[in-house]
Amino acid sequence: MKFPSEPFKIKVVEPIKRTTREERDRLLREAGYNLFHVPADSVYVDLLTDSGTSAMSDHQWAGLMLGDESYAGSKNYYHLEAVVRSIFGYRHVIPTHQGRMAENLLFSTVVKPGMSVPNNIHFDTTRANVEHQGAEALDLVIKEAYDPHCELPFKGNMDVLRLEETINRVGRERIPLAMVTITNNSGGGQPVSMENIRRTRALLNRYGIPLIFDACRFAENCFFIKERESGYEDTSVREIARELFSYGDGCTMSAKKDGLVNIGGFLGLNDERWTQDITNMLILVEGFPTYGGLAGRDLEAMARGLEEVLDEEYLRFRISQVRYLGELLDNGRVPILKPIGGHAVYLNAKEFLPQIPQDQFPAQALAVALYREFGIRGVEIGTVMFGKRDPVTGGTNYPELELVRLAIPRRVYTNMQITYVAESIADLFTHRDTIGGLVMTYEAPLLRHFTARFEEWAPVVTR
Ligand SMILES: *Cc1c(COP(=O)(O)O)cnc(C)c1O
């Protein structure tokens, strides 16, 4: 079946309410046209993020009741440790309250000012955490990743040639580690192939540089390998994951994605010295090493979620639901990023709204219009998120892509709600000439997209 139906049934429901266009218009003005400041209960379908928004299973909820809240040595920690070792294979498991704390602990321990950290594409918190150490975050994904029309099966791949040039240019001693993000979130949720990971590993081995995975969506990446990479069609996703992680020295993980939990993360590491230093820092800023900023019950839900996410019936539905939305839009000629990624569909705002110049934030304007007209919330991934101020000229360096990401929460929305989203966007597309640009009136020095405020460039035309 092309689009398999839901491999679960619903036991608990959470009502969502409809708002009027007038209410949403007022909420937008109050929020400074920043969708992070719109109250969630005024959103009909919330595709802001797939992070921490998953529906837990009955098995995970049951696990919450088995939380062992001992300060030290909670049995739930040992369960998590065993699960992580069995899938990821790393000796040391350091729990954190979410992914960025794993990044912060790792980088504050091993990254020094003036160093460089290559990645296929750094996620925004990863980049910010590298730069916070006074180091440089380098994106070395294959060039095709920036072409929204190029259909490659593994568009998240590292450009191994550029990685080697970079190592030679920067110097091995200034590269404390390299990262590979699976799937490549900022590049459209595109997977990385096993073959590319093997080549990256072989290159890094020649220079003695450790490889750390940003593993947030590892199960989705491994499912794509099974679907698309020859030689893996009969391998289980669990075995694919084990092989993939065997090429790394560790991982940072936000379990809010493929951990199927609402909060949680961890750092997996083999290196004793790094583990010791990071553990000392963990005690200072998060908590004792067997809970790391989480309750015992959270550790249990995470351990169970990591097992469930490898269920291939679940993964087939998950990847297909995202593809279903993408194909409905594509069939309606709505410009989207191709191929369709693992956790989200990305609207190509430059093509959706060619009338809005990049300095008027076309992707933000599109996200605002989608909420105002239909109560659907996506997120801008464009100039607001990545447009960097040039420290010398004060001008903006514009990113190549202006996207609105529609991230699909795991096990949350039915295909009927996904159909509503597709039909709404197709409708908006036919009225696209009524959408105007925005002016930024406030920006913070770091991660500005979370708090930026805007005004409309020209008043919107009422339909
Ligand atoms: C979400 C995410 C992170 C950060 O994780 P948080 O749990 O949000 O702190 C890091 N890298 C990638 C690729 C992500 O998607």
Side-chain angles (χ1 to χ4, degrees), residues 54-308:
S54 302
M56 292 206 296
S57 67
D58 51 358
H59 185 63
Q60 285 176 290
W61 280 102
L64 294 184
M65 284 307 293
L66 302 177
D68 167 4
E69 306 305 341
S70 309
Y71 190 93
S74 156
K75 68 179 180 199
N76 311 114
Y77 171 75
Y78 297 119
H79 183 198
L80 174 71
E81 184 185 55
V83 169
V84 172
R85 280 182 180 161
S86 77
I87 300 168
F88 296 76
Y90 302 127
R91 257 194 304 285
H92 305 289
V93 181
I94 301 165
T96 59
H97 77 278
Q98 61 183 82
R100 68 196 68 184
M101 181 52 89
E103 294 165 359
N104 185 281
L105 289 166
L106 176 67
F107 300 151
S108 64
T109 304
V110 306
V111 177
K112 305 286 175 243
M115 288 184 166
S116 298
V117 179
N119 201 331
N120 43 359
I121 301 186
H122 286 274
F123 181 64
D124 58 352
T125 62
T126 315
R127 169 177 303 280
N129 268 302
V130 168
E131 291 175 352
H132 190 62
Q133 300 304 325
E136 185 186 23
L138 297 172
D139 295 337
L140 300 177
V141 72
I142 53 170
K143 295 240 161 37
E144 293 87 339
Y146 295 105
D147 175 357
H149 300 286
C150 175
E151 297 230 27
L152 281 182
F154 293 102
K155 227 176 148 181
N157 279 355
M158 179 77 88
D159 186 335
V160 182
L161 226 69
R162 271 211 297 163
L163 177 60
E164 178 150 34
E165 283 165 17
T166 303
I167 297 169
N168 289 326
R169 179 173 55 80
V170 172
R172 185 270 164 258
E173 67 291 346
R174 284 175 53 210
I175 302 183
L177 58 96
M179 296 191 81
V180 173
T181 304
I182 54 171
T183 57
N184 186 23
N185 185 2
S186 304
Q190 304 293 334
V192 180
S193 73
M194 193 75 88
E195 191 254 354
N196 184 257
I197 289 168
R198 247 186 255 118
R199 284 174 46 220
T200 302
R201 171 82 254 182
L203 171 67
L204 295 172
N205 272 352
R206 291 217 305 280
Y207 293 89
I209 298 172
L211 172 60
I212 303 292
F213 288 103
D214 182 339
C216 299
R217 297 179 183 79
F218 75 98
E220 291 168 8
N221 198 102
C222 292
F223 188 79
F224 278 122
I225 288 175
K226 186 181 174 102
E227 259 194 341
R228 298 178 181 177
E229 192 161 350
S230 75
Y232 288 97
E233 35 303 84
D234 298 324
T235 313
S236 71
V237 171
R238 176 185 290 269
E239 283 174 72
I240 293 172
R242 283 198 61 96
E243 181 187 341
L244 186 152
F245 288 117
S246 76
Y247 300 123
D249 300 283
C251 69
T252 56
M253 176 74 188
S254 169
K256 298 172 71 172
K257 285 69 173 253
D258 272 353
L260 295 175
V261 286
N262 306 117
I263 195 73
F266 61 86
L267 193 56
L269 284 176
N270 282 336
D271 189 272
E272 301 290 335
R273 183 60 204 278
W274 284 9
T275 302
Q276 217 170 59
D277 292 349
I278 288 169
T279 303
N280 290 336
M281 185 59 81
L282 181 83
I283 293 170
L284 183 68
V285 297
E286 279 275 85
F288 190 74
T290 59
Y291 71 84
L294 292 167
R297 55 179 170 269
D298 296 327
L299 299 171
E300 186 60 30
M302 179 159 44
R304 293 179 181 214
L306 289 168
E307 291 279 1
E308 284 179 18

